[in-house]
Amino acid sequence: MAKEKKVAGAGSRPEARLPKGFRDIGAAELAQTRAMLDTIRGVYESYGFEQLETPAIEYTDALGKFLPDQDRPNEGVFSFTDDDGQWLSLRYDLTAPLARYVAENFQTLPKPFRRYATGTVYRNEKPGPGRFRQFTQFDADTVGTDNLAADAEICMLAADTLEALGIKRGDYVIKVNNRKVLDGVIEAIGLVGQENAGRRLTVLRAIDKLDKFGPEDVRLLLGDGRKDESGDFTKGAGLSPNQVATLMEFIERASESAALMRSAARSGDIFNNDVDQGYFVLREGGSFYQSQLCIDGHQELETIRGLLRGAGYGMNQIIIDYSVVRGLEYYTGPVFEAELTFEVKDEKGNPVRFGSVGGGGRYDGLVERFLGQKVPATGFSIGVSRLQAALNVLNAADASAPLGPVVVLVMDKGELPRYQRMAQELRRAGIRAEMYLGTSGMKAQMKYADKRGAPCVIIQGSDERDKGEVQLKDLIEGAKAAAAIADNKEWKESRPAQVSIKETDLVAGVREILARHGVTS
RNA sequence: GCCGCCUUAGCUCAGUUGGUUAGAGCGCUAGAUUGUGGAUCUAGAGGUCCCCUGUUCAAGCCAGGGAGGCGGUACCA
């Protein structure tokens, strides 16, 4: 019969469930996020960036995500049409809205315009481990200058931010490259002209996989293709053996060079100029030095490197790494990637690498889309959620829930005003407090207080009331004391961590308990 | 998008060659204890065995299709 009732209503009832790739976030994580955002904000503001907030929704064409030849937004973004039939989209990053803002307010903004922004962004794509369809980014950008000092500062900012968040020097690295270098290398193997645009992208994608797959798989991706462990085949760039060999030489030298830098950094040799300058492939006389693009890119990197080292940032913080790719059709010059380098084991003992927690670079074309006039810009974006997940693994102990409010138990339903008054008294003293608002008995109220993480409860039944007293029970100390008591009678009679005080001393008594647990309000 | 694996209670999972009323541990609720969160004991609630169609006297189990989840891969500002 009970069954029939269920079945009867089931079809029309909605299922309580979250859309794939979205998640609910509880008090403990939110408190942690807030602290992180405050820290990042402090660093960004110290560099002189000012805050800007733009809406979560923009016109789709302003975000620049239309499929070629189709009057329809790109996959990957959440889009819908407005009343007037215009396409709107949820922002998928904070840079495209910045470009729109700068273009719209170009006349009045100070140039260079330096702003930071944080907010939720949305991507309509398949979620993966640690990848969601809604997440928080924290960006800083300098718009309106091609001065490479702006790029150097972005790198410093990234390093300072990670350190402010408690990531030790050596547990992270900011990698810098220049898209002109890779473009030059690709040009050097003859992939020039419009007809090779697709191949150039495939090559860049292959190089981008170096960290993930290693050199052998990159070689396959540059050639015919690669089969993954599920048996799926990825078509390669189809380069000739010669072209592959040339690219692989570059890639392997580049990672060798980066490895040398890291090992120098580990041994404390953080300003060793020979190592720092990178491998000979890009120095004068090296095999790629004929390409003008390579030369330009290399010289820009040298300028940035000079600024960084001059400011005291060594190879233990920021290095040049020629294998960094980042956004494919987006960046036009220097690119940056913030990578966490420490390794941790998951619960099964497998090593987990977090990899990139932020990135950015110089994008000289974004504002130009609107204005038709070159407005060079450079910036950096932190993936807050991903970084937070990494930090949680780094300090695994720090996942504890925040303390809840002090709970005033309702022992006598006829005395609600009295209990309410106690809660108010605590609130006025700056102590988070609540009167129990349910209707259950004392045992249930104790369980409730326990679940809320209350540091203590206030108990006043008729006995205490008659004497003008209240009982304060320290739930944290009480839980510790309980562990030593096996007998229920003793547990009840000893009333661990419970004291009786004058009702007039309520605030002082609670403060004493809070202070015991490190709360000073 | 493509490939592989998976789906039984709130959670983690058993479930025989297809055979009566589908189980365990944990969790939850209540009692033992008229005013004390823990421990112990007892009792209770909780199920569309992912969905649909088929095979069969009989399907959690077999077949086909679908959905959802996980992992890999592709795309990724």
Side-chain angles (χ1 to χ4, degrees), chain A residues 182 185 203 206-208 210 214-215 218-219 222 244-257 281 288 321-323:
Chain A
L182 286 175
V185 171
V203 169
I207 296 173
D208 196 30
L210 181 64
V218 172
R219 185 187 295 276
L222 290 173
V244 173
T246 308
L247 277 179
M248 288 309 294
E249 184 200 350
F250 174 79
I251 292 164
E252 280 170 4
R253 294 265 155 88
S255 23
E256 246 172 75
S257 171
V281 280
F288 291 96
D321 182 336
Y322 298 112
S323 67

Side-chain angles (χ1 to χ4, degrees), chain A residues 9-17:
Chain A
S12 56
R13 246 181 267 138
E15 188 183 350
R17 58 183 194 139

